[in-house]
Amino acid sequence: MSFNLAQFNPVQIMMGLMGVSAVVITFIEGVMISKRTDREPYDWRAFWTTVRINLLRLLVEAIPMGAVMGVALPFGQWMYEHRFWTVPMDTWWGWVAMFFCTEFFYYWLHRAGHRIRWYWASHAIHHTGNQYNLAAAFRQSITGKISGGFVFFAPQCLFGFSPDAVLLSYGVNLVYQFWIHTDLISKIPMMEGIFNTPSAHRVHHAANVEYLDCNYGGTILLFDRLFGTYVPEKDGVPIRYGLVKTMTSYSALKTCLFEWGNIFKDVGRALKGGHPLDALGYMFGPPGWAPNGQGLTTDQLRAQMTRLTGSATGAPPVELLDNWAGVPPDEQALNGSPAPVR
């Protein structure tokens, strides 16, 4: 069977090129870190898990258009055909408008990815790495189109930006974010609080409760500032990376699907018990939601940490996640608890 580049759509080609480049650069970073004796050993098993995740992504993206996984571009095209006006992309201000428009919708996509469990089921994969390095940048979901994250960008087409321009702008946004996934670069004067930097994004990837649910911006932190979600990195505060409930599996498939399994289990139990509203809460409430306030959402987790330690800071102990007050063992979800496993 001959290889024909024309059989791939722009999304598939962009993802392929980005994936191959990311693997090569990340591999070089891993070799460099491995040679240092003043750092935690580089987790090569996690690196190869990420590579396998990206191979799964290529398989998923190869599903023909017209299937459930392929509705994003047609939906965007439909929105563009019904646009309010047309933004001229042959002008400088058209691209400036595109930049801020993409950043705005990316902010809300990213925020929803942390605050609505349905979207978190896909986005959680990006936070499963227990080390913060470039490999974390391209550990991405294979179920993004199932969860429907594309609906956050379709309005850009309604506002007059073509689907191709939206894809290009979103791709540039993601490419920018690659280099900020590192703890080798300290704070950058004049950039902090304005642009998304390694320091700002370290905070975003932290499991420390004081850092949960913040710094959602892609390239800039304008909308974090406007909507009160910007949190600067504190000097001298150790960061524990990964999910609140640490992911220990190196299985690519489990890493991609574990939270969907959690949702399925929780929803099934709620429906079996005759509580359809609880089922909706498990699907569309914040990660960690449980009936009657018995879960561990971010706010509840901070309250529990304050109760235990006197301060809503630091990574929560395993005992809290496994045996929080008032929640029986049969309410605990797969892989630990219904806590917000960031």
Side-chain angles (χ1 to χ4, degrees):
M1 183 174 66
S2 61
F3 177 80
N4 181 10
L5 191 63
Q7 66 185 339
F8 299 98
N9 63 49
V11 177
Q12 295 168 349
I13 296 174
M14 179 175 65
M15 287 182 60
L17 292 175
M18 291 172 60
V20 172
S21 300
V23 168
V24 173
I25 296 173
T26 303
F27 181 83
I28 295 173
E29 181 207 34
V31 172
M32 294 174 61
I33 292 177
S34 297
K35 293 181 178 180
R36 298 181 58 168
T37 59
D38 60 336
R39 299 179 58 83
E40 178 185 10
Y42 190 83
D43 192 344
W44 283 106
R45 290 184 67 189
F47 170 84
W48 291 114
T49 297
T50 303
V51 171
R52 293 193 298 272
I53 288 173
N54 275 271
L55 292 176
L56 289 175
R57 281 171 56 79
L58 288 177
L59 291 175
V60 167
E61 288 298 327
I63 295 177
M65 299 297 287
V68 174
M69 299 292 289
V71 300
L73 286 177
F75 184 55
Q77 184 62 44
W78 183 89
M79 297 285 272
Y80 187 63
E81 291 172 358
H82 296 81
R83 61 191 179 275
F84 298 138
W85 51 72
T86 300
V87 177
M89 301 310 295
D90 57 350
T91 62
W92 66 267
W93 65 264
W95 287 102
V96 171
M98 168 60 84
F99 171 80
F100 284 103
C101 191
T102 297
E103 191 64 35
F104 175 80
F105 284 105
Y106 177 82
Y107 171 88
W108 287 107
L109 167 67
H110 200 179
R111 184 165 176 169
H114 283 261
R115 300 301 298 153
I116 300 174
R117 195 182 184 193
W118 178 262
Y119 292 116
W120 172 244
S122 290
H123 184 61
I125 289 77
H126 183 59
H127 288 264
T128 53
N130 298 318
Q131 293 182 340
Y132 190 64
N133 47 46
L134 295 178
F138 68 105
R139 181 173 284 211
Q140 301 287 340
S141 170
I142 66 172
T143 61
K145 289 178 182 176
I146 290 178
S147 58
F150 63 86
V151 300
F152 285 86
F153 291 98
Q156 290 182 252
C157 300
L158 192 63
F159 293 149
F161 299 100
S162 70
D164 288 341
V166 172
L167 283 174
L168 176 61
S169 181
Y170 181 55
V172 170
N173 192 296
L174 292 181
V175 168
Y176 172 89
Q177 294 181 52
F178 179 67
W179 76 278
I180 63 178
H181 288 82
T182 179
D183 61 0
L184 299 178
I185 301 176
S186 58
K187 292 183 178 180
I188 305 175
M190 307 301 292
M191 289 186 65
E192 301 301 335
I194 302 173
F195 294 96
N196 199 4
T197 64
S199 174
H201 211 56
R202 282 193 291 270
V203 169
H204 178 74
H205 274 261
N208 303 43
V209 295
E210 69 268 38
Y211 287 157
L212 297 181
D213 299 332
C214 66
N215 298 359
Y216 297 119
T219 60
I220 58 175
L221 300 175
L222 170 65
F223 297 107
D224 284 288
R225 292 282 199 172
L226 289 177
F227 299 114
T229 53
Y230 171 63
V231 176
E233 183 180 20
K234 300 176 182 178
D235 295 331
V237 175
I239 293 179
R240 202 264 283 165
Y241 297 108
L243 303 177
V244 168
K245 181 69 174 181
T246 302
M247 167 66 75
T248 58
S249 175
Y250 288 97
S251 165
L253 193 60
K254 181 178 180 180
T255 300
C256 290
L257 301 178
F258 79 97
E259 185 62 7
W260 289 109
N262 291 349
I263 292 177
F264 183 81
K265 183 177 180 180
D266 289 338
V267 169
R269 183 167 55 248
L271 292 177
K272 184 177 180 181
H275 302 289
L277 292 181
D278 289 351
L280 291 175
Y282 279 124
M283 293 174 65
F284 302 109
W289 181 91
N292 304 316
Q294 292 183 320
L296 277 182
T297 63
T298 296
D299 291 339
Q300 291 169 322
L301 187 57
R302 286 171 178 156
Q304 291 287 358
M305 286 292 288
T306 301
R307 180 181 63 84
L308 291 175
T309 67
S311 175
T313 59
V318 175
E319 299 78 29
L320 172 61
L321 301 177
D322 287 342
N323 303 291
W324 66 92
V327 180
D330 62 358
E331 285 292 333
Q332 297 181 17
L334 185 66
N335 194 48
S337 70
V341 281
R342 283 279 303 278

